[in-house]
């Protein structure tokens, strides 16, 4: 019985030995394969991997133009639809200009009235200048009359004194003395009247001179085209005419119409968005890299972009245009409050803008919001 068992073990041992040998061979091969893979990965990292960073958290973006009317009016015509391609200057919508035309007519009337007021002020200045000259002549005449009245008064006073000195001698009658006294009183009254006339003439001349100065201040240094009131009326007219021009809403940039929110007959308000234009020929990519990936990233470094829309068959070439001033979390509407007690560190991401080659973008158009993969070459910069 013992001999049979020994013979069976002897028969089994070669099989087990062969299996163990085969297992050792496969383990050796696996170890060699893993070692080769590790060497290949190390070589790739040393030669390539450490000189590039990549992320699939990247999306197409653009500087979208908001189309807003500059006046409030009713829409009478809409010439575009969503997804339509437009060029800069194309008419998008037309607003009613009835109120604007009335404003233009009112502004034209105000301008004509301002011109007439300036002409009237200029004519008034000439009239007042003539009145001042006439006032000077009137003062001269009144002064001459005063001189004559004072001479008459002096003569009457002399005659009166001579007659009164002869009254006691009987050479002068009472009637003659009375007539001389009456003449002296009349001369005195005439002199007083002449003085008053001089003062009145001088006051009239002063008043006319003041009115002339005030009138000349309105037109001094100005012409009918440079008068402040005329210029203000011109400005109001230009503003009213500009409102008519603004009633035709044009595309500010080249792009595709999106989110059109205006219909014929709708009254739009000044500054309220009515549609958007996406500049599909001027798109860029916002790539959100982890903070540790950005240690060596610099503005100007070349980058490759692959869009999920076309797959790896289409590769866009671009460059790093800029790095955001803050992480996405810090720019959120409600930033994270890390000062709380239950805090867990989360790797932050920082947006990096990648500008694309316009020719490649024209050959394979993209749209805002599409997913992409971005790879930045860290070995050189443009």
């Amino acid at each position: 019985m013992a001999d049979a068992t020994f013979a069976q073990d002897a028969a089994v041992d070669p099989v087990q030995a062969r299996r163990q040998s085969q297992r050792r061979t496969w383990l050796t091969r696996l170890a060699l394969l893993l070692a080769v893979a590790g060497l290949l990965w190390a070589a790739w990292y040393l030669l390539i991997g450490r000189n590039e960073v990549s992320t699939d958290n990247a999306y197409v973006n653009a500087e979208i133009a908001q189309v807003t009317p500059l006046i409030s009016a009713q829409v009478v015509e809409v010439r575009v639809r969503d997804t339509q391609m437009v060029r800069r200057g194309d008419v998008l919508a037309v607003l009613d200009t009835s109120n604007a035309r009335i404003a233009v007519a009112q502004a034209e009337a105000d301008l004509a009235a301002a011109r007439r007021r300036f002409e009237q002020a200029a004519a008034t200045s000439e009239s007042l200048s003539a009145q001042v000259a006439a006032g000077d002549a009137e003062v001269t005449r009144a002064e001459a009359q005063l001189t004559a009245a004072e001479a008459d008064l002096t003569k009457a006073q002399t005659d009166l004194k001579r007659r009164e000195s002869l009254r006691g001698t009987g050479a002068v009658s009472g009637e003659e003395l009375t007539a001389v006294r009456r003449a002296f009183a009349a001369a005195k009254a005439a002199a007083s009247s002449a003085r008053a006339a001089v003062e009145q003439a001088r006051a009239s001349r002063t008043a006319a001179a003041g009115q002339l100065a005030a009138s000349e201040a309105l037109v001094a240094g100005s012409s009918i085209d440079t008068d402040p009131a005329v210029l203000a009326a011109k400005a109001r007219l230009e503003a009213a005419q500009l409102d008519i021009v603004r009633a035709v809403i044009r595309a500010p940039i080249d792009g595709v119409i999106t989110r059109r929110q205006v219909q014929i007959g709708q009254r739009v308000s000044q500054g309220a968005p009515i549609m958007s234009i996406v500049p599909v020929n001027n798109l860029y990519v916002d790539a959100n890299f982890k903070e540790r990936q950005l240690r060596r990233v610099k503005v100007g470094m070349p980058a490759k972009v692959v869009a999920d829309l076309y797959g790896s068959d289409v590769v866009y070439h671009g460059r790093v245009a800029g790095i955001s001033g803050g992480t996405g979390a810090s720019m959120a509407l409600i930033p994270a409050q890390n000062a709380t007690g239950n805090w867990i560190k989360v790797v932050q991401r920082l947006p990096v803008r990648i500008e694309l080659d316009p020719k490649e973008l024209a050959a394979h158009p993209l749209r805002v919001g599409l997913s992409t993969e971005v790879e930045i070459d860290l070995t050189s910069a443009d």
Side-chain angles (χ1 to χ4, degrees):
M1 184 67 179
D3 294 339
T5 302
F6 177 79
Q8 184 177 2
D9 292 340
V12 173
D13 286 341
V15 175
Q16 291 179 349
R18 187 167 51 254
R19 289 178 178 176
Q20 291 178 355
S21 176
Q22 290 176 352
R23 183 179 300 171
R24 284 193 298 271
T25 300
W26 281 108
L27 289 175
T28 302
R29 291 177 180 177
L30 180 60
L32 290 175
L33 181 61
L34 292 176
V36 170
L39 291 174
L40 290 176
W41 181 88
W44 173 85
Y45 177 77
L46 292 174
L47 298 176
I48 301 175
R50 67 174 183 173
N51 293 323
E52 64 181 26
V53 291
S54 61
T55 182
D56 58 358
N57 188 352
Y59 305 93
V60 180
N61 210 336
E63 299 291 342
I64 300 177
Q66 296 286 342
V67 179
T68 58
L70 299 178
I71 62 173
S72 299
Q74 185 181 21
V75 179
V76 297
E77 188 176 355
V78 179
R79 298 188 182 181
V80 294
R81 63 181 186 280
D82 278 336
T83 73
Q84 180 177 338
M85 185 72 185
V86 295
R87 297 293 181 184
R88 180 178 181 179
D90 289 351
V91 177
L92 306 178
V94 180
L95 307 181
D96 182 34
T97 60
S98 299
N99 293 337
R101 295 186 184 280
I102 294 174
V104 168
Q106 181 63 50
E108 289 176 344
D110 292 342
L111 177 58
R115 289 178 177 273
R116 289 189 179 183
R117 283 194 296 269
F118 180 85
E119 292 174 350
Q120 181 181 4
T124 301
S125 295
E126 295 178 359
S127 175
L128 292 174
S129 179
Q131 290 182 15
V132 170
D136 291 337
E138 183 66 21
V139 169
T140 302
R141 185 183 67 80
E143 289 177 345
Q145 290 180 351
L146 175 60
T147 301
E150 288 178 344
D152 292 341
L153 177 61
T154 302
K155 180 179 180 300
Q157 186 177 11
T158 302
D159 291 343
L160 177 60
K161 288 180 179 180
R162 187 170 58 249
R163 295 296 191 280
E164 287 182 345
S165 64
L166 298 174
R167 182 178 55 180
T169 63
V172 178
S173 64
E175 183 179 354
E176 183 179 357
L177 184 59
T178 301
V180 172
R181 288 176 177 174
R182 189 181 299 112
F184 173 74
K188 187 176 181 179
S192 298
S193 177
R195 290 191 191 95
V198 169
E199 295 299 328
Q200 182 178 1
R202 289 175 178 174
S204 298
R205 183 187 62 180
T206 301
Q211 292 177 358
L212 175 62
S215 180
E216 287 182 343
L218 297 176
V219 297
S222 300
S223 64
I224 193 170
D225 293 323
T226 61
D227 178 63
V230 174
L231 292 177
K234 283 183 178 179
R236 290 192 294 270
L237 176 59
E238 291 175 359
Q241 292 172 339
L242 184 59
D243 286 344
I244 292 180
V245 176
R246 288 174 172 173
V248 179
I249 302 175
R250 299 181 180 273
I253 59 173
D254 299 346
V256 175
I257 300 296
T258 58
R259 296 201 302 269
R260 199 197 80 175
Q261 307 171 15
V262 61
Q263 302 294 337
I264 294 177
Q266 176 183 350
R267 180 175 177 81
V268 295
S269 300
Q270 181 180 0
I274 59 174
M275 66 184 72
S276 301
I277 300 179
V278 179
V280 293
N281 295 328
N282 192 24
L283 301 176
Y284 57 86
V285 173
D286 279 335
N288 302 303
F289 283 94
K290 296 179 181 179
E291 48 192 315
R292 293 182 178 178
Q293 293 179 295
L294 299 176
R295 294 174 180 174
R296 298 167 55 192
V297 174
K298 305 294 182 182
V299 174
M301 287 183 170
K304 294 180 181 180
V305 178
V306 175
D308 292 355
L309 177 64
Y310 299 107
S312 59
D313 294 337
V314 177
V315 178
Y316 298 89
H317 297 83
R319 66 179 186 87
V320 177
I323 302 176
S324 176
T327 64
S330 66
M331 299 298 176
L333 184 61
I334 304 178
Q337 299 296 324
N338 295 332
T340 58
N342 299 324
W343 175 74
I344 299 176
K345 182 177 180 179
V346 178
V347 177
Q348 300 297 314
R349 291 180 178 267
L350 200 65
V352 177
R353 177 169 294 191
I354 308 297
E355 288 186 352
L356 303 177
D357 186 347
K359 294 181 180 179
E360 296 177 348
L361 194 59
H364 299 87
L366 295 173
R367 292 296 184 268
V368 172
L370 294 180
S371 300
T372 62
E373 297 179 7
V374 177
E375 181 181 292
I376 299 177
D377 184 2
L378 303 177
T379 58
S380 62
D382 292 339

